[in-house]
Amino acid sequence: MIIESSITLDGPVKEVWEKLLDPACLKNCIPGCESVSVQSNGEFKGTVKVKIGPIKARFDVVLTIVEMQPPVRLVSKMQGRDRFHTGRFTQENQLALEEINPDRTRLTYTSNLSISGKIATFGERIFRAKAKEMEKNFLASLSDILKHEERKQ
Amino acid sequence: MAKNEIIGRPFARVDGRRKACGDAVYGPDIKMPGMLHAKFLASPYPHARIVHVDTEKAEKLSGVKTILTAKDVPQVCWGLMVKDTPVLAGDKARFMGEPLAVVAATKREIAEEAAELIQVEYEELKPVFDPEEALGPGAPLIHEGAEAYACAMPGLIRYGNVCGQTKISGGDPEQGWRESDLIFEDRFSTPVQHHGFIEPHAVTARFDSNGRLEIWTSTQAIFAIRMALGEIMGLPLNRIRVIGTEVGGGFGGKTDITVEHFCALLARMTGKPVKMQLTRSEMMTYTSARHGCVIHLKTGVKKDGKIVTREARLLFDTGGYAGHGPGVAALGANTILGPYRTPHFKIDSLSVYTNKMNFSFMRGPGGVQAGFACESHMDRIARELNLDPLDFRIKNLISDGDTSATGQRMEAVGIQEALNSVAKISNWKQRKKSKNRGWGLCCCQYELVGMTSSALVKLSEDGSLHLVIGAIDHGQGSSTVLAQILAQEMDIPADQIAVTVGDTDTAPYDTGTFGDRVTFNMGNAVIEAARDLKVQLFSGAAAMLESPAENLELVGQMIRDRDNPEKAISLLELAMGSYFFQGGAPMGKSTVLAPFQAYAYEKVEGNPYPATPAHTYACQVVEVSVDRDTGMVRVENIYSCHDAGRMINPLGTEGQIQGGIMMGLGYALWEEVVFDGGRVTNPNLIDYKMPFAINQPKIRIAVTETKTPNGPYGARGVGNPPVLLPAAAIANAIHDAVGVRIRELPLTPERVLFSLKREAANKK
Amino acid sequence: MKDMRYIRAASVTEVTDCLKKYGDKAKILAGGQSLVPLLRQRLARPGLLIDISRVADLKFIRKTKNTLKIGALTTHRQLETDPLIREHLPILADMEKQLASVQIRNLGTLGGNLCHADPAGDVAPALMALGAKLKLISATGARTMSVENFFKDFFETAIRPDEVLAEIDIPLLPDLGHAIYIKHSSRGVDTAIIGVGTFILKDHDTDTCKEIRLCVGAVGPVPIRAKNAEAVIRGKVVTGKTIAEAGKKAREEISPVSDLQGSAEYKKELIEVFIQRALKAASSGRRK
C-alpha cells in the first residue's frame, strides 16, 4: 500500500532535516516507539510497539538509508519484525524537503508499506487504516516539536 | 435383460451415509502413534536470492526433531509439464509464500515457532507481477536457464518468461478482415480464484522398516502423486503406496503434490510418521489457484450477424512455476471460439511466469477465463448489430459434421438443443424487461479429458461384486455412478456393489479425477471390466450347464441359457464352484485409453495435451437487478441447461451442476485473490468472499441428452461447464439492465457503480 | 497459548475480582466469536482468559418505565427474536438480521460485540442512534457511559482493565420517534462497508425535526455521528431537498480510507446514498 502526504512545518529546511535524522526526535514522533539508536554503519535501530485492541506486536525495526541528498531528499528502507512472530513489514520511504520561506518547510512523503505474516493475514483492513493513522500522528508530533523549538529560540 | 433400470434413475450416494454420520476419514483425520507435525518456512519476498539460511536457533527449540533446507533435500526439479520446481527454494525464492525450509516437531505449534526462528539472509531481486510486463524486453527473468529444464510433455514452446504457448490458426484471417462488414475489439481481464475447499490439504507419511513409503493424502490423483514422489524420493514406484483419503473438495486444487514430498522427506529423516496440514492462509499463498488472465479479442462479422473471423490473444499469469499453466493456456485457446462457426481465426495463448504463487488447475481451467471473454464479446456484437443475443448465437452455432478449430470432426454437438431448452424454460422470447432489471445469455463448449482408466471387478466367494479403482470420488459422486454402471452391466442392485477407491497398492492405474473424465472414461473402463468378467463367468458356466457360452445371459444374479432358461446357475454357486473346483477367482479387468481424433497439427502448435475425446455443452440465462446507487447486483433467477449425453444419476448430475453454478456465481460477483505486489492481501475467508448459502438465487436446471458415441451409454461429464457460464451471463444481464459493459471480474458493486458513473459522464 | 490460564466465572463479583487482580493481563471471553479466532492465530496472547459465558446475571432483557435493559451476555439471536425488542425497539431486531449468520448470532453476544469494538460492527451505530448507555462494573463500583463515548480507536474502548460491561440501557422510543439501521455489505450479511443508525423525532404540530442522530459505522476508527448532516435536518421539515443536502454534507465531513472492502471514493458515494436512504426511511416513519 502506498501512503502519501505532505505537510508544512515550522523551521528552516536544515533544521527539519536534522530533526528527521535525530534519534531522540524520532523516538518522540513515531507512535509507540520505545527506543532508537544509530549504529556505526549508519543504520537506525529501534523498537516500536503497536497495539490494536487485543493484538499487540513489538517490532524490532532497522532503518537503512538508501540515498541521501542533504538537506532535501532522503530515501530509506525500514524493515520490522515482530518479536512474537506475528508478522513483519517492509516500508520504502521517499522524503523530500522544500523551502517555502526561510522559516517554513514543506515536507512531502511517499512510502510503500508491505505487511506480511499472520498480523497482515488477519487484519489487512485494520492495519491499513492503522498505518495511515500512525503516519498522521508522526507528522503531527514532528510539527509540534518544531513549533516548540521555535518558541525556545 | 432389464436394461435401463439403473442407468438414469436417481440414486442415493454410496458414500452419503458415512459422510452424513461423520465417520468418513478425511486427510486431517489421520493420526498415528509417535506422529510428528510439520510446518514450512515461507519466503517473505516475491523474488529474492537466498544468501544464507541458519537453522541453529530453531533446532535448539525443544520438541524440534529435524529441519530440512534446500541443501538437505534431493536436488531434483519436478513439475507435471515443465520440470522447474525445486523441492525447497535454494538459490532463490520466486514468490512470497514459497517454502524454503521444513520443520518436523512433536507439536504443530512448536514446528511453527521453529520455522519462525530460522534466520534467512535474502538479497531482494526486482520482481515482476504483470504477465504483460513479464513479456517485455527488460523484464527480470524468473527462471534463468529455463531452457535446460526437462519437459514432461512434448512440444512445449518456451522462451524468456513464457513457459508454454499454444497457437491455433485456420482459414485466412487477412481475407476474413477484408470480408467483414464490422469489426469488434475487446480486452477482458479475470482474477485469481481460490478453490475454497472446506478440507485443507492434509498429508501423513511414514516409512516402514523395509524402506517402503506409505502416504495418506487428500488428493484427486493418487497415481500422479506416486509418480512425482518416485521422482523426488528416488524410489521405484512399487516402493511407494499412496492412499487417497476422503476428499472434502478438490476442484482441481488437489491434482498435484503440495506437501506430500515434505512429509515423505521428513518421515525418512526422522523415522517417524509425519503429518502436515495447511492453514487457509498457507493454501491461499502457497498452493495453486485459478489463473488470472488477460484476453484480447477481435472479431469480424457480416451485417447479417455471421461471424467471419476472429483473432484472440490470451495471457495466463502462471506465477513462479509452470504447474499446469501451459495446458491451461492450451485449453483457453481451444475454448475461445466458443461453439460458433468461425471460418478464419488466429489464436495465440501464453502461459507466463510472474512472481506469484503457482496457478494451476481449477474447475474449468482456461475455459472459465475464455468463456467470460468470448461470451461477453458475443453479447456486445449482438447488441451492436441489434440482434437478439439468442438469434445471433443460433445463427453461428456449430453442428454435427463441422470441423473444430483444432481440426476434429465434431459429433454429438449438444449446444443447439440445450440452447432451445434454456430459451424455453427461461421464456427468453417473452422475457419481461423492467427498470434496472436485465437478462443475460451465455453458451459454452468445453472439453473433457480422456487418457487412461482401468478397473478391476472382483467376484467374491459368495457371488457379491467389488469394484476396485484408482479414481477418487472427491465429492462429485463418481463412485455412485460407477456402482450404477457396474450394476447395470451385471444386472444386480447397485446398492449391493462395494466400491473401493484410491489405493495405489490395490487399484489399477488411473490418470486421476479431473477434467470431467471419471464418468466418461472410468465409466467405459467399468463396462469393459464387467464384460470381461461376464466372459469368464459364461465360460465357467458353459461347462457346468453344458450350454454354449454364447447362449448364456446374466439376469437377476443368475446365469442361464437363453434358449433353455431351466438351465441356470446362481452367481453364488458359480463363484463357489469357480473358487474351489474350476478356473479360480473370477476377476474382470480392463484398461481404457479413451480414443480421440488427433489434432490437425498444421493448425495447432505447442498444445501439450492430446485432443479431447468429447466436447461438453451448456448454456444459461440469468436475470439480475442492479441497484444504480450502490452498484449492487442481485441475481434473481438462473436457468441453466446442460447436455449430459446420457444422465447416469440425475441426483448427482443436478447436484454437480448446482454446485458448479455457485462456484461460477462466486467468480462472477465476489471472488478474487487480491495482490499487493506479490503479497496476497486477503488470504482468509473473511476477506476472500465466497458466496454464502443465502446468496444462492433460484436455479432451474434442465438436462438434455445428446448421446456421445464414445461415452458410457452416451454419457459425458457435466462438472466443468456450470462454472464457465455465470460470469458472462451475469455481465451480459448487467448490460441489459443498466447499459454498462464490464470487462473485468469480479463484478463488484464498486466496479458496477463506477462503470455507471463513467458511462453517465461520457454521455454528457 | 501454552502460558494461558483459564477461569470460568460464576458471578459478576468473581469476574470483577479477577479483573482487579490481573488487570490487562486478563481477557474476557463471552461468546468467543471475535476473540477465539485471534487466540487461534496467537495474535492475542492474554495471560488469563475469564470465561463469563455462564454468568447468569448478565443474561436478561427487561423493560422498565422508560428503558429496555439488556444484559451484556444477551446473544444476537436473542435480541433478534425477543418479543420485547420486537415490540419496542424493532430497529435492533432489524439490525441483527443483517449481522453475520444465524450460527454466529446464536453464540455471539451484544457485550462482546461492543467490547471488541470492530469499527465495522453493526451494533454500535444502532445503539448510538438510540442514545443507549452502558453500565460498566468494577470491584470498586459501577459507572455509566453513553455508547457514543465508549469507542476510542480501532478495537479500543473506554473500558478500564478492571471493568466488565454488564448492561446496556436503551431509552424507549418517544411517540413520533423513529429509528432504523441500514447497511451495505457485499454479500448481504457480511462485514459492513457502511452501516447507518438513524433516530429522528418530529414535532407533533409543525412536523419539523426536533431531534436527530445519524450514526455511521465502518468509515473510520470508531463509529461516528454525521453532525453536519444532522444540522441540516435539525429544526426543519424533512424534505427531498434537505435529505439530498444532508447526504452531501455527510459525504464532506467523513473521510473513509481505502481497504479491501472498497476504495475511499466508493465509500464516499455510499455515505451520501446511505445517509439519504436512512433519512428517507426514518422520516417516513415506516418503522417505529
mmCIF file of all heavy atoms in Angstrom, chain B residues 698-735:
data_model
loop_
_atom_site.group_PDB
_atom_site.id
_atom_site.type_symbol
_atom_site.label_atom_id
_atom_site.label_comp_id
_atom_site.label_asym_id
_atom_site.label_seq_id
_atom_site.Cartn_x
_atom_site.Cartn_y
_atom_site.Cartn_z
ATOM 1 N N LYS B 698 -32.544 -18.424 -7.242
ATOM 2 C CA LYS B 698 -33.352 -19.540 -7.726
ATOM 3 C C LYS B 698 -32.648 -20.111 -8.953
ATOM 4 O O LYS B 698 -32.361 -19.383 -9.892
ATOM 5 C CB LYS B 698 -34.738 -19.038 -8.138
ATOM 6 C CG LYS B 698 -35.787 -19.229 -7.052
ATOM 7 C CD LYS B 698 -37.150 -18.768 -7.555
ATOM 8 C CE LYS B 698 -37.583 -17.505 -6.830
ATOM 9 N NZ LYS B 698 -38.449 -16.633 -7.571
ATOM 10 N N ILE B 699 -32.387 -21.385 -8.940
ATOM 11 C CA ILE B 699 -31.702 -22.011 -10.076
ATOM 12 C C ILE B 699 -32.611 -23.086 -10.657
ATOM 13 O O ILE B 699 -33.043 -23.983 -9.934
ATOM 14 C CB ILE B 699 -30.369 -22.665 -9.642
ATOM 15 C CG1 ILE B 699 -29.438 -21.622 -9.016
ATOM 16 C CG2 ILE B 699 -29.684 -23.332 -10.834
ATOM 17 C CD1 ILE B 699 -28.127 -22.183 -8.498
ATOM 18 N N ARG B 700 -32.940 -22.941 -11.927
ATOM 19 C CA ARG B 700 -33.701 -24.004 -12.582
ATOM 20 C C ARG B 700 -32.799 -24.691 -13.594
ATOM 21 O O ARG B 700 -32.144 -24.036 -14.394
ATOM 22 C CB ARG B 700 -34.946 -23.449 -13.275
ATOM 23 C CG ARG B 700 -36.218 -23.747 -12.467
ATOM 24 C CD ARG B 700 -37.252 -22.680 -12.614
ATOM 25 N NE ARG B 700 -36.818 -21.475 -11.905
ATOM 26 C CZ ARG B 700 -37.534 -20.361 -11.886
ATOM 27 N NH1 ARG B 700 -38.679 -20.277 -12.532
ATOM 28 N NH2 ARG B 700 -37.100 -19.311 -11.211
ATOM 29 N N ILE B 701 -32.774 -26.012 -13.509
ATOM 30 C CA ILE B 701 -31.834 -26.767 -14.333
ATOM 31 C C ILE B 701 -32.591 -27.680 -15.290
ATOM 32 O O ILE B 701 -33.567 -28.334 -14.900
ATOM 33 C CB ILE B 701 -30.900 -27.609 -13.437
ATOM 34 C CG1 ILE B 701 -29.983 -26.673 -12.641
ATOM 35 C CG2 ILE B 701 -30.061 -28.585 -14.275
ATOM 36 C CD1 ILE B 701 -29.261 -27.350 -11.520
ATOM 37 N N ALA B 702 -32.161 -27.678 -16.530
ATOM 38 C CA ALA B 702 -32.676 -28.648 -17.492
ATOM 39 C C ALA B 702 -31.490 -29.438 -18.013
ATOM 40 O O ALA B 702 -30.382 -28.907 -18.107
ATOM 41 C CB ALA B 702 -33.383 -27.943 -18.642
ATOM 42 N N VAL B 703 -31.717 -30.700 -18.303
ATOM 43 C CA VAL B 703 -30.641 -31.535 -18.830
ATOM 44 C C VAL B 703 -31.084 -32.113 -20.161
ATOM 45 O O VAL B 703 -32.183 -32.651 -20.270
ATOM 46 C CB VAL B 703 -30.284 -32.663 -17.846
ATOM 47 C CG1 VAL B 703 -29.197 -33.557 -18.434
ATOM 48 C CG2 VAL B 703 -29.816 -32.090 -16.515
ATOM 49 N N THR B 704 -30.243 -31.944 -21.172
ATOM 50 C CA THR B 704 -30.538 -32.579 -22.457
ATOM 51 C C THR B 704 -29.597 -33.770 -22.618
ATOM 52 O O THR B 704 -28.570 -33.862 -21.940
ATOM 53 C CB THR B 704 -30.333 -31.596 -23.625
ATOM 54 O OG1 THR B 704 -29.022 -31.032 -23.519
ATOM 55 C CG2 THR B 704 -31.355 -30.486 -23.593
ATOM 56 N N GLU B 705 -29.955 -34.674 -23.491
ATOM 57 C CA GLU B 705 -29.165 -35.897 -23.644
ATOM 58 C C GLU B 705 -28.860 -36.158 -25.116
ATOM 59 O O GLU B 705 -29.600 -36.834 -25.802
ATOM 60 C CB GLU B 705 -29.902 -37.078 -23.017
ATOM 61 C CG GLU B 705 -30.100 -36.904 -21.504
ATOM 62 C CD GLU B 705 -30.696 -38.132 -20.838
ATOM 63 O OE1 GLU B 705 -31.698 -38.659 -21.363
ATOM 64 O OE2 GLU B 705 -30.148 -38.567 -19.804
ATOM 65 N N THR B 706 -27.770 -35.551 -25.573
ATOM 66 C CA THR B 706 -27.309 -35.813 -26.936
ATOM 67 C C THR B 706 -26.214 -36.865 -26.823
ATOM 68 O O THR B 706 -25.103 -36.562 -26.381
ATOM 69 C CB THR B 706 -26.726 -34.530 -27.568
ATOM 70 O OG1 THR B 706 -27.676 -33.473 -27.390
ATOM 71 C CG2 THR B 706 -26.425 -34.744 -29.046
ATOM 72 N N LYS B 707 -26.554 -38.084 -27.146
ATOM 73 C CA LYS B 707 -25.646 -39.188 -26.822
ATOM 74 C C LYS B 707 -24.267 -39.040 -27.454
ATOM 75 O O LYS B 707 -24.136 -38.839 -28.651
ATOM 76 C CB LYS B 707 -26.279 -40.505 -27.225
ATOM 77 C CG LYS B 707 -27.341 -40.904 -26.232
ATOM 78 C CD LYS B 707 -27.777 -42.335 -26.379
ATOM 79 C CE LYS B 707 -28.785 -42.586 -25.272
ATOM 80 N NZ LYS B 707 -29.799 -43.552 -25.625
ATOM 81 N N THR B 708 -23.236 -39.159 -26.611
ATOM 82 C CA THR B 708 -21.861 -39.093 -27.069
ATOM 83 C C THR B 708 -21.466 -40.491 -27.527
ATOM 84 O O THR B 708 -21.541 -41.426 -26.726
ATOM 85 C CB THR B 708 -20.951 -38.675 -25.894
ATOM 86 O OG1 THR B 708 -21.586 -37.590 -25.225
ATOM 87 C CG2 THR B 708 -19.585 -38.256 -26.359
ATOM 88 N N PRO B 709 -21.059 -40.653 -28.771
ATOM 89 C CA PRO B 709 -20.852 -42.012 -29.277
ATOM 90 C C PRO B 709 -19.833 -42.819 -28.481
ATOM 91 O O PRO B 709 -19.990 -44.020 -28.327
ATOM 92 C CB PRO B 709 -20.382 -41.794 -30.718
ATOM 93 C CG PRO B 709 -20.265 -40.333 -30.929
ATOM 94 C CD PRO B 709 -20.846 -39.613 -29.785
ATOM 95 N N ASN B 710 -18.818 -42.152 -27.937
ATOM 96 C CA ASN B 710 -17.784 -42.932 -27.251
ATOM 97 C C ASN B 710 -17.897 -42.913 -25.732
ATOM 98 O O ASN B 710 -17.017 -43.358 -25.020
ATOM 99 C CB ASN B 710 -16.380 -42.479 -27.695
ATOM 100 C CG ASN B 710 -16.217 -40.972 -27.604
ATOM 101 O OD1 ASN B 710 -17.177 -40.268 -27.284
ATOM 102 N ND2 ASN B 710 -15.023 -40.483 -27.882
ATOM 103 N N GLY B 711 -19.017 -42.376 -25.208
ATOM 104 C CA GLY B 711 -19.192 -42.342 -23.747
ATOM 105 C C GLY B 711 -19.998 -43.543 -23.275
ATOM 106 O O GLY B 711 -20.711 -44.162 -24.064
ATOM 107 N N PRO B 712 -19.926 -43.872 -21.984
ATOM 108 C CA PRO B 712 -20.694 -45.000 -21.459
ATOM 109 C C PRO B 712 -22.197 -44.702 -21.567
ATOM 110 O O PRO B 712 -22.655 -43.715 -20.992
ATOM 111 C CB PRO B 712 -20.248 -45.108 -20.006
ATOM 112 C CG PRO B 712 -19.680 -43.758 -19.670
ATOM 113 C CD PRO B 712 -19.151 -43.171 -20.944
ATOM 114 N N TYR B 713 -22.913 -45.497 -22.299
ATOM 115 C CA TYR B 713 -24.343 -45.282 -22.581
ATOM 116 C C TYR B 713 -24.589 -43.925 -23.238
ATOM 117 O O TYR B 713 -25.688 -43.391 -23.202
ATOM 118 C CB TYR B 713 -25.209 -45.406 -21.316
ATOM 119 C CG TYR B 713 -24.866 -46.609 -20.493
ATOM 120 C CD1 TYR B 713 -24.136 -46.468 -19.323
ATOM 121 C CD2 TYR B 713 -25.224 -47.887 -20.916
ATOM 122 C CE1 TYR B 713 -23.775 -47.580 -18.580
ATOM 123 C CE2 TYR B 713 -24.867 -49.008 -20.181
ATOM 124 C CZ TYR B 713 -24.142 -48.854 -19.013
ATOM 125 O OH TYR B 713 -23.783 -49.938 -18.292
ATOM 126 N N GLY B 714 -23.539 -43.309 -23.742
ATOM 127 C CA GLY B 714 -23.681 -41.994 -24.371
ATOM 128 C C GLY B 714 -23.374 -40.839 -23.426
ATOM 129 O O GLY B 714 -23.492 -39.670 -23.806
ATOM 130 N N ALA B 715 -22.964 -41.145 -22.186
ATOM 131 C CA ALA B 715 -22.764 -40.092 -21.185
ATOM 132 C C ALA B 715 -21.486 -39.305 -21.435
ATOM 133 O O ALA B 715 -20.534 -39.802 -22.021
ATOM 134 C CB ALA B 715 -22.711 -40.716 -19.795
ATOM 135 N N ARG B 716 -21.518 -38.046 -20.977
ATOM 136 C CA ARG B 716 -20.294 -37.253 -20.892
ATOM 137 C C ARG B 716 -20.322 -36.506 -19.561
ATOM 138 O O ARG B 716 -21.372 -36.433 -18.924
ATOM 139 C CB ARG B 716 -20.183 -36.290 -22.063
ATOM 140 C CG ARG B 716 -21.379 -35.398 -22.283
ATOM 141 C CD ARG B 716 -21.145 -34.466 -23.473
ATOM 142 N NE ARG B 716 -22.329 -34.293 -24.302
ATOM 143 C CZ ARG B 716 -22.271 -34.101 -25.618
ATOM 144 N NH1 ARG B 716 -21.125 -34.086 -26.244
ATOM 145 N NH2 ARG B 716 -23.379 -33.913 -26.308
ATOM 146 N N GLY B 717 -19.182 -35.957 -19.157
ATOM 147 C CA GLY B 717 -19.109 -35.273 -17.869
ATOM 148 C C GLY B 717 -19.896 -33.973 -17.875
ATOM 149 O O GLY B 717 -20.111 -33.365 -18.919
ATOM 150 N N VAL B 718 -20.340 -33.557 -16.676
ATOM 151 C CA VAL B 718 -21.086 -32.293 -16.580
ATOM 152 C C VAL B 718 -20.480 -31.359 -15.545
ATOM 153 O O VAL B 718 -21.071 -30.355 -15.196
ATOM 154 C CB VAL B 718 -22.571 -32.527 -16.207
ATOM 155 C CG1 VAL B 718 -23.299 -33.237 -17.313
ATOM 156 C CG2 VAL B 718 -22.689 -33.281 -14.886
ATOM 157 N N GLY B 719 -19.304 -31.664 -15.042
ATOM 158 C CA GLY B 719 -18.776 -30.915 -13.897
ATOM 159 C C GLY B 719 -18.230 -29.541 -14.210
ATOM 160 O O GLY B 719 -18.370 -28.615 -13.416
ATOM 161 N N ASN B 720 -17.580 -29.382 -15.340
ATOM 162 C CA ASN B 720 -16.907 -28.111 -15.614
ATOM 163 C C ASN B 720 -17.807 -27.015 -16.184
ATOM 164 O O ASN B 720 -17.740 -25.869 -15.725
ATOM 165 C CB ASN B 720 -15.721 -28.339 -16.550
ATOM 166 C CG ASN B 720 -14.541 -28.965 -15.821
ATOM 167 O OD1 ASN B 720 -14.305 -28.658 -14.651
ATOM 168 N ND2 ASN B 720 -13.828 -29.845 -16.471
ATOM 169 N N PRO B 721 -18.649 -27.317 -17.182
ATOM 170 C CA PRO B 721 -19.396 -26.229 -17.825
ATOM 171 C C PRO B 721 -20.191 -25.323 -16.872
ATOM 172 O O PRO B 721 -20.254 -24.110 -17.124
ATOM 173 C CB PRO B 721 -20.325 -26.971 -18.804
ATOM 174 C CG PRO B 721 -19.547 -28.202 -19.152
ATOM 175 C CD PRO B 721 -18.860 -28.596 -17.877
ATOM 176 N N PRO B 722 -20.781 -25.842 -15.776
ATOM 177 C CA PRO B 722 -21.540 -24.920 -14.929
ATOM 178 C C PRO B 722 -20.715 -23.732 -14.438
ATOM 179 O O PRO B 722 -21.254 -22.647 -14.207
ATOM 180 C CB PRO B 722 -21.978 -25.790 -13.747
ATOM 181 C CG PRO B 722 -21.905 -27.190 -14.231
ATOM 182 C CD PRO B 722 -20.837 -27.228 -15.275
ATOM 183 N N VAL B 723 -19.396 -23.926 -14.268
ATOM 184 C CA VAL B 723 -18.564 -22.831 -13.758
ATOM 185 C C VAL B 723 -18.247 -21.826 -14.870
ATOM 186 O O VAL B 723 -17.961 -20.667 -14.610
ATOM 187 C CB VAL B 723 -17.242 -23.383 -13.174
ATOM 188 C CG1 VAL B 723 -16.559 -22.332 -12.329
ATOM 189 C CG2 VAL B 723 -17.482 -24.632 -12.363
ATOM 190 N N LEU B 724 -18.311 -22.286 -16.120
ATOM 191 C CA LEU B 724 -17.958 -21.409 -17.234
ATOM 192 C C LEU B 724 -19.025 -20.351 -17.520
ATOM 193 O O LEU B 724 -18.753 -19.359 -18.179
ATOM 194 C CB LEU B 724 -17.745 -22.237 -18.522
ATOM 195 C CG LEU B 724 -16.336 -22.765 -18.802
ATOM 196 C CD1 LEU B 724 -15.975 -23.863 -17.823
ATOM 197 C CD2 LEU B 724 -16.206 -23.285 -20.219
ATOM 198 N N LEU B 725 -20.251 -20.607 -17.052
ATOM 199 C CA LEU B 725 -21.363 -19.802 -17.547
ATOM 200 C C LEU B 725 -21.694 -18.513 -16.795
ATOM 201 O O LEU B 725 -21.914 -17.482 -17.435
ATOM 202 C CB LEU B 725 -22.625 -20.693 -17.595
ATOM 203 C CG LEU B 725 -22.526 -21.917 -18.524
ATOM 204 C CD1 LEU B 725 -23.643 -22.906 -18.210
ATOM 205 C CD2 LEU B 725 -22.611 -21.487 -19.980
ATOM 206 N N PRO B 726 -21.791 -18.544 -15.442
ATOM 207 C CA PRO B 726 -22.399 -17.382 -14.782
ATOM 208 C C PRO B 726 -21.710 -16.043 -15.044
ATOM 209 O O PRO B 726 -22.404 -15.022 -15.172
ATOM 210 C CB PRO B 726 -22.349 -17.747 -13.296
ATOM 211 C CG PRO B 726 -22.330 -19.236 -13.286
ATOM 212 C CD PRO B 726 -21.517 -19.623 -14.490
ATOM 213 N N ALA B 727 -20.375 -16.002 -15.117
ATOM 214 C CA ALA B 727 -19.709 -14.692 -15.205
ATOM 215 C C ALA B 727 -20.190 -13.913 -16.420
ATOM 216 O O ALA B 727 -20.624 -12.757 -16.301
ATOM 217 C CB ALA B 727 -18.193 -14.878 -15.253
ATOM 218 N N ALA B 728 -20.140 -14.544 -17.586
ATOM 219 C CA ALA B 728 -20.570 -13.818 -18.784
ATOM 220 C C ALA B 728 -22.082 -13.593 -18.770
ATOM 221 O O ALA B 728 -22.556 -12.514 -19.137
ATOM 222 C CB ALA B 728 -20.166 -14.586 -20.031
ATOM 223 N N ALA B 729 -22.846 -14.587 -18.323
ATOM 224 C CA ALA B 729 -24.305 -14.426 -18.303
ATOM 225 C C ALA B 729 -24.701 -13.235 -17.432
ATOM 226 O O ALA B 729 -25.554 -12.422 -17.808
ATOM 227 C CB ALA B 729 -24.976 -15.706 -17.812
ATOM 228 N N ILE B 730 -24.040 -13.107 -16.274
ATOM 229 C CA ILE B 730 -24.376 -12.006 -15.361
ATOM 230 C C ILE B 730 -23.890 -10.675 -15.935
ATOM 231 O O ILE B 730 -24.617 -9.674 -15.918
ATOM 232 C CB ILE B 730 -23.790 -12.267 -13.955
ATOM 233 C CG1 ILE B 730 -24.497 -13.480 -13.319
ATOM 234 C CG2 ILE B 730 -23.942 -11.038 -13.059
ATOM 235 C CD1 ILE B 730 -23.853 -13.993 -12.037
ATOM 236 N N ALA B 731 -22.673 -10.663 -16.472
ATOM 237 C CA ALA B 731 -22.161 -9.415 -17.057
ATOM 238 C C ALA B 731 -23.089 -8.958 -18.198
ATOM 239 O O ALA B 731 -23.379 -7.761 -18.332
ATOM 240 C CB ALA B 731 -20.742 -9.608 -17.569
ATOM 241 N N ASN B 732 -23.549 -9.909 -18.986
ATOM 242 C CA ASN B 732 -24.460 -9.564 -20.082
ATOM 243 C C ASN B 732 -25.803 -9.064 -19.561
ATOM 244 O O ASN B 732 -26.400 -8.145 -20.123
ATOM 245 C CB ASN B 732 -24.663 -10.779 -20.997
ATOM 246 C CG ASN B 732 -23.376 -11.189 -21.694
ATOM 247 O OD1 ASN B 732 -22.413 -10.422 -21.740
ATOM 248 N ND2 ASN B 732 -23.343 -12.406 -22.225
ATOM 249 N N ALA B 733 -26.247 -9.665 -18.464
ATOM 250 C CA ALA B 733 -27.518 -9.225 -17.876
ATOM 251 C C ALA B 733 -27.393 -7.823 -17.283
ATOM 252 O O ALA B 733 -28.315 -7.014 -17.360
ATOM 253 C CB ALA B 733 -27.971 -10.224 -16.811
ATOM 254 N N ILE B 734 -26.219 -7.527 -16.706
ATOM 255 C CA ILE B 734 -25.995 -6.176 -16.159
ATOM 256 C C ILE B 734 -26.068 -5.165 -17.300
ATOM 257 O O ILE B 734 -26.674 -4.102 -17.178
ATOM 258 C CB ILE B 734 -24.627 -6.093 -15.435
ATOM 259 C CG1 ILE B 734 -24.655 -6.932 -14.158
ATOM 260 C CG2 ILE B 734 -24.260 -4.644 -15.121
ATOM 261 C CD1 ILE B 734 -23.301 -7.079 -13.476
ATOM 262 N N HIS B 735 -25.469 -5.529 -18.419
ATOM 263 C CA HIS B 735 -25.525 -4.628 -19.565
ATOM 264 C C HIS B 735 -26.965 -4.405 -20.010
ATOM 265 O O HIS B 735 -27.383 -3.286 -20.305
ATOM 266 C CB HIS B 735 -24.690 -5.175 -20.723
ATOM 267 C CG HIS B 735 -24.676 -4.265 -21.921
ATOM 268 N ND1 HIS B 735 -25.602 -4.356 -22.926
ATOM 269 C CD2 HIS B 735 -23.879 -3.218 -22.217
ATOM 270 C CE1 HIS B 735 -25.361 -3.397 -23.818
ATOM 271 N NE2 HIS B 735 -24.317 -2.701 -23.408
#
